[in-house]
């Protein structure tokens, strides 16, 4: 069913009795050409682009829980393409361009909102670094603007501009950045993939891999054996566990990241902003809740929930920036398991097992990457060659000394 | 999380800095081991779901390194030892 205003009107006049389930719920077939493991944003987008752009058929997505129950439904929904390094910026800008046409393409309201993102700076050195980053963005065809203190004040007069330790001196702004409704992104890709014949199989956990003579033959799952010519793994925080089934150790640690939302407030913050002196980022959802987050907890975790010290730290960061935040009441907090890589950048690559492909290492920036990650992973699986914007995301880059370390932290996953 | 420090008793995990897998104690010999061994040591991790032995540094305390055994699924802390004792038992230098 194609969604349109006429559709809504017709359904409204007939008591909304004609709406159909948005996707089928098929039982797994005995085998497929391509199986994608993980029904998060990246897995669903990969299946969609495989069918839509690369003419692949007989595709299944296997999800151990429900579609969108992982990080794609847990993130703070920020989308942007404000990276510095040449290995990253073209990829994220490609993603931003895909976001811009996504809803029309999928015929689904993903609430993509280019409300603008500002990264605040608090020292001269930080300003210089942001100028450099802005220039790198512009060179790669993205948009960037430097705001001075008055420019920031016009947008958000209520910030603590004269904070004694972290006075606000200005910001790097990307007007095309913003937010998207995270669940709707998963649902939109799922619906569009299903319409192209992709089998979306839920409650189906992959428990083993069938590998013969160095080639993938299929998967063991909680819903039986499923044969496959090619397998693409996109399981975010669970990457190490799933790839261990193929005997691989990854340059990844799993860490928990928390997020928070306040009770609904009147319109207050109409864009996205990040604090430059601590780790704190915030936007306001269309329902009015302030959605915000900060650092990962910092220790390995598969728990999908974090601890109180980080809540305190995030709240302190928020208060240093927006004193009025202290009057808002926190409604909920939750956590997701991040696949933190050794250089803070992702992996979209082949593996030593023929026919087995890996999409992982998204740290806490993988939501904005969803469209490009799906597109590039589909490209790799279908053509056995990397997409030009994702060519640097190699699994063996650590061995070859070609890290993409935006933050310059080295091999310390919990600091990226 | 409370870490049962072998010398100081239960301490808030907030006083510690986390380094990661305790296998980092077993650094390969710089002259004997090849590049592969160093690559694996530096970049690859087991990253288990379940029991994990890991290094915590008591920065805001007595500045000792501990090997903490913790469940990464429940966050339950099962054991804490002085990293020094663990390293010595593994036959590492001083
Ligand atoms: C609190 C929080 C805030 C974040 N904020 C942002 C942000 O503002 N901007 C941004 O760009 N990114 C953000 N991120 C990161 C982003 O959400 C992730 O990087 C991205 O969603 C990961 O890709 P995914 O959607 O495919 O993962 P997921 O949705 O986690 O999908 C992986 C799926 O694999 C399934 N799976 C795992 N093991 C198996 C198995 N054995 N068999 C079958 N299925 C399996 C899981 O159940 C899961 O559904 C945030 C993350 C969190 C947790």
């Amino acid at each position: 069913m194609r969604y349109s205003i006429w559709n809504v009107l017709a359904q409204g006049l007939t008591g909304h009795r004609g709406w159909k389930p948005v996707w089928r719920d098929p039982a797994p077939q005995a085998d497929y050409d391509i199986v994608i493991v993980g029904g998060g944003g990246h897995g669903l987008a990969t299946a969609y682009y495989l069918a839509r752009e690369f003419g692949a058929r007989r595709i299944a997505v296997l999800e151990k829980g429900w579609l969108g129950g992982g990080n794609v439904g847990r993130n703070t929904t920020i989308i942007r393409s404000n990276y510095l390094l040449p290995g990253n910026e073209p990829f994220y800008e490609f993603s931003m361009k895909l976001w811009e046409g996504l809803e029309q393409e999928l015929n689904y309201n993903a609430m993509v909102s280019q409300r603008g993102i500002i990264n605040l700076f608090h020292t001269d050195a930080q300003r210089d670094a942001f100028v450099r980053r802005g220039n790198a963005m512009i060179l790669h065809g993205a948009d960037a603007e430097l705001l001075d203190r008055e420019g920031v004040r016009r947008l958000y007069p209520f910030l603590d501009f004269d904070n004694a330790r972290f006075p606000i001196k200005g910001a790097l702004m990307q007007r095309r950045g913003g937010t998207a409704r995270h669940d709707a992104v998963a649902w939109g890709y799922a619906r569009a993939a299903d319409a192209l014949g992709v089998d979306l199989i839920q409650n189906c956990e992959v428990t083993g891999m069938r590998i013969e003579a160095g080639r993938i033959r299929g998967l063991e799952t909680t819903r039986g054996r499923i044969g496959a010519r090619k397998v693409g793994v996109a399981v975010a925080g669970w990457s190490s566990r799933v790839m261990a089934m193929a005997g691989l150790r990854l340059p990844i640690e799993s860490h928990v990241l928390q997020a928070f939302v306040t009770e609904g407030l009147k319109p207050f913050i109409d864009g996205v902003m990040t604090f430059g002196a601590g780790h704190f980022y915030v936007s306001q959802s269309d329902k009015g809740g302030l959605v915000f987050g900060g650092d990962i907890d910092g220790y390995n975790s598969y728990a999908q929930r974090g601890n109180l010290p980080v809540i305190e730290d995030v709240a302190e960061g928020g208060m240093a920036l927006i004193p009025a935040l202290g009057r808002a009441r926190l409604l909920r907090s939750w956590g997701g398991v991040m696949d933190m890589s050794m250089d803070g950048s992702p992996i979209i690559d082949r593996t030593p097992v023929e026919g087995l492909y890996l999409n992982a290492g998204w740290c806490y920036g993988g939501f904005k990457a969803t469209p490009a990650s799906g597109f590039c992973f589909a490209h790799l699986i279908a053509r056995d060659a990397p997409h030009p914007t994702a060519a640097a995301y190699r699994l063996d880059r650590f061995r070859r000394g070609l890290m993409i370390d935006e933050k310059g932290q080295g091999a310390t996953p919990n600091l990226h | 999380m409370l870490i049962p420090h072998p010398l100081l008793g239960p301490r808030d995990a907030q006083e510690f800095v986390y380094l990661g897998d305790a296998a980092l104690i077993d650094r390969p010999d710089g002259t004997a081991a090849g590049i592969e061994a160093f690559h694996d040591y530096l970049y690859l991790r087991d990253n288990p779901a379940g029991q994990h032995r890991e290094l915590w540094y008591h920065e805001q305390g007595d500045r000792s390194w501990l090997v903490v055994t913790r469940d990464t699924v429940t966050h339950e802390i099962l054991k804490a030892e002085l990293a020094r004792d663990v390293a010595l038992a593994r036959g590492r230098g001083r």
Side-chain angles (χ1 to χ4, degrees):
Chain A
M1 178 188 284
R2 221 190 134 67
Y3 295 152
S4 68
I5 179 81
W6 309 117
N7 230 240
V8 174
L9 288 176
Q11 290 296 335
L13 292 173
T14 54
H16 291 289
R17 280 186 299 268
W19 297 112
K20 300 265 168 1
V22 176
W23 51 76
R24 298 165 295 134
D25 185 20
Q29 294 174 27
D31 70 28
Y32 290 93
D33 284 352
I34 302 174
V35 172
I36 303 299
V37 186
H42 294 212
L44 293 166
T46 304
Y48 166 74
Y49 289 114
L50 272 169
R52 174 70 213 271
E53 296 288 332
F54 299 98
R57 289 291 168 265
R58 299 189 354 104
I59 306 167
V61 176
L62 310 184
E63 165 54 50
K64 75 177 161 88
W66 66 94
L67 298 181
N71 293 339
V72 70
R74 293 165 187 268
N75 61 69
T76 38
T77 78
I78 301 168
I79 60 175
R80 57 187 172 88
S81 63
N82 55 2
Y83 284 70
L84 172 69
L85 299 179
N88 274 332
E89 181 58 12
F91 171 83
Y92 286 102
E93 179 52 24
F94 177 45
S95 206
M96 185 55 82
K97 294 211 167 74
L98 290 173
W99 281 115
E100 287 172 334
L102 188 74
E103 296 165 302
Q104 286 70 21
E105 178 169 350
L106 299 181
N107 177 232
Y108 202 84
N109 181 8
M111 296 168 68
V112 175
S113 162
Q114 294 181 291
R115 53 183 71 184
I117 175 167
I118 61 169
N119 303 128
L120 296 164
F121 54 79
H122 310 267
T123 65
D124 292 350
Q126 207 173 16
R127 184 196 57 218
D128 293 348
F130 280 7
V131 168
R132 180 170 171 233
R133 183 165 10 149
N135 285 336
M137 291 162 63
I138 291 168
L139 284 173
H140 287 291
D143 65 307
E145 238 172 88
L146 199 71
L147 301 184
D148 61 10
R149 192 180 154 92
E150 290 317 305
V152 177
R153 205 192 289 276
R154 270 194 295 277
L155 290 175
Y156 303 111
F158 50 80
L159 299 183
D160 190 2
F161 285 87
D162 299 313
N163 185 298
R165 278 178 79 192
F166 311 119
I168 293 169
K169 301 227 165 177
L172 180 66
M173 176 160 203
Q174 183 179 29
R175 291 194 192 270
R176 287 161 64 242
T179 57
R181 168 89 199 271
H182 49 6
D183 303 305
V185 172
W187 299 333
Y189 274 118
R191 171 171 168 271
D194 175 83
L196 292 168
V198 173
D199 281 358
L200 307 174
I201 300 163
Q202 306 183 58
N203 299 311
C204 181
E205 178 168 359
V206 171
T207 54
M209 294 195 187
R210 246 180 331 125
I211 296 166
E212 288 161 18
R215 181 159 237 306
I216 190 92
R217 296 287 173 196
L219 300 165
E220 308 290 340
T221 79
T222 49
R223 296 183 70 175
R225 271 192 169 188
I226 299 177
R229 284 202 309 113
K230 291 183 173 181
V231 172
V233 174
V235 294
W238 289 268
S239 299
S240 299
R241 298 188 64 200
V242 172
M243 294 314 280
M245 298 172 194
L248 294 181
R249 289 173 83 216
L250 299 183
I252 285 176
E253 286 179 5
S254 295
H255 286 261
V256 56
L257 175 69
Q258 305 189 61
F260 311 87
V261 64
T262 68
E263 61 191 345
L265 304 169
K266 290 197 171 160
F268 177 46
I269 298 176
D270 60 2
V272 181
M273 82 175 83
T274 73
F275 187 30
H279 204 166
F280 177 81
Y281 37 91
V282 61
S283 66
Q284 189 168 16
S285 80
D286 293 354
K287 279 191 289 185
L290 299 178
V291 181
F292 58 91
D295 267 326
I296 54 176
D297 272 39
Y299 44 82
N300 288 40
S301 174
Y302 284 89
Q304 294 198 119
R305 63 187 158 73
N307 274 303
L308 290 169
V310 165
I311 301 185
E312 187 178 6
D313 185 66
V314 172
E316 281 172 354
M319 289 294 291
L321 181 62
I322 312 171
L325 198 65
R327 306 301 289 271
R329 274 174 299 204
L330 204 61
L331 204 60
R332 280 182 292 127
S333 70
W334 61 93
V337 183
M338 322 301 333
D339 35 340
M340 300 298 296
S341 70
M342 287 287 162
D343 60 357
S345 293
I347 294 156
I348 303 179
D349 203 0
R350 287 175 281 242
T351 68
V353 178
E354 231 183 293
L356 178 64
Y357 303 82
L358 176 65
N359 175 315
W362 291 100
C363 303
Y364 41 98
F367 177 65
K368 70 176 91 67
T370 305
S373 166
F375 197 103
C376 295
F377 198 35
H379 185 288
L380 177 74
I381 294 171
R383 304 217 174 134
D384 255 311
H387 186 271
T389 64
Y393 296 151
R394 302 294 304 277
L395 179 55
D396 66 354
R397 65 175 181 263
F398 304 95
R399 186 174 278 114
R400 293 181 300 129
L402 299 176
M403 275 71 85
I404 314 168
D405 191 344
E406 283 276 337
K407 228 172 153 188
Q409 292 283 13
T412 44
N414 63 341
L415 298 182
H416 283 292
Chain B
M1 294 188 292
L2 284 179
I3 294 179
H5 192 300
L7 304 176
L8 305 175
R11 306 298 311 180
D12 191 326
Q14 235 187 317
E15 297 172 2
F16 292 77
V17 172
Y18 180 83
L19 183 65
D21 195 325
L24 290 172
I25 290 177
D26 298 319
R27 186 172 59 222
D29 179 332
T31 48
I35 284 184
E36 277 304 301
F38 253 101
H39 165 267
D40 293 1
Y41 168 79
L42 191 55
Y43 294 115
L44 303 187
R45 299 286 184 270
D46 287 339
N47 195 19
Q51 283 196 22
H52 190 220
R53 298 187 78 210
E54 50 200 28
L55 287 161
W56 292 74
Y57 175 56
H58 201 190
E59 187 177 46
Q60 292 172 50
D62 70 347
R63 303 212 179 168
S64 58
W65 281 94
L66 303 187
V67 172
V68 175
T69 308
R70 192 178 56 94
D71 191 316
T72 59
V73 176
T74 62
H75 294 166
E76 185 187 3
I77 292 178
L78 304 155
K79 195 158 103 182
E81 308 151 84
L82 289 175
R84 181 175 184 278
D85 295 344
V86 174
L88 285 173
R90 272 143 103 148
R92 299 207 54 105
R94 284 164 296 130

